[in-house]
Amino acid sequence: MGRGGAFVLSTATVALQERVVLEIAPPGAEVPMAFIGRVAWIGRSGTENVFGIEWRARDAGGGRRIKELVRRLTDLQDHLRP
């Protein structure tokens, strides 16, 4: 996951260019945050579907929420490193 989009491994089937909503609960959040994206590419990994999401901000705060989510995940990753 990054500022531009995310890699998703899922049992869900999606179509190229489809709009999707991902609900993600970042570390420290009490409720999930909803993010809108566009399916940029699709593929398979074994029996699982994989696809790339390009973020689409639906309002002025969307970009800010994506940056905050990436920051929290990066902080968590840095904390878990030995």
Side-chain angles (χ1 to χ4, degrees), residues 23-39:
E23 288 190 345
I24 303 168
E30 301 224 356
V31 295
M33 299 167 70
F35 297 93
I36 294 177
R38 176 190 65 85
V39 178

Side-chain angles (χ1 to χ4, degrees), residues 1 3 5 10 13 17-18 20 23 33 36 46 52 60-61 75 77:
M1 179 171 297
R3 287 187 182 183
S10 175
T13 302
Q17 304 296 326
E18 183 176 347
V20 296
E23 288 190 345
M33 299 167 70
I36 294 177
D75 289 350
Q77 181 181 9

Side-chain angles (χ1 to χ4, degrees), residues 31-50:
V31 295
M33 299 167 70
F35 297 93
I36 294 177
R38 176 190 65 85
V39 178
W41 59 267
I42 55 177
R44 299 214 24 101
S45 177
T47 60
E48 298 284 333
N49 296 315
V50 294

Side-chain angles (χ1 to χ4, degrees), residues 52-73:
I53 299 293
E54 178 182 51
W55 301 128
R56 297 286 190 213
R58 64 181 171 192
D59 55 38
R64 181 182 44 78
R65 286 193 307 275
I66 290 167
K67 287 179 185 176
E68 176 64 16
L69 174 64
V70 172
R71 184 194 64 76
R72 287 186 188 191
L73 293 173

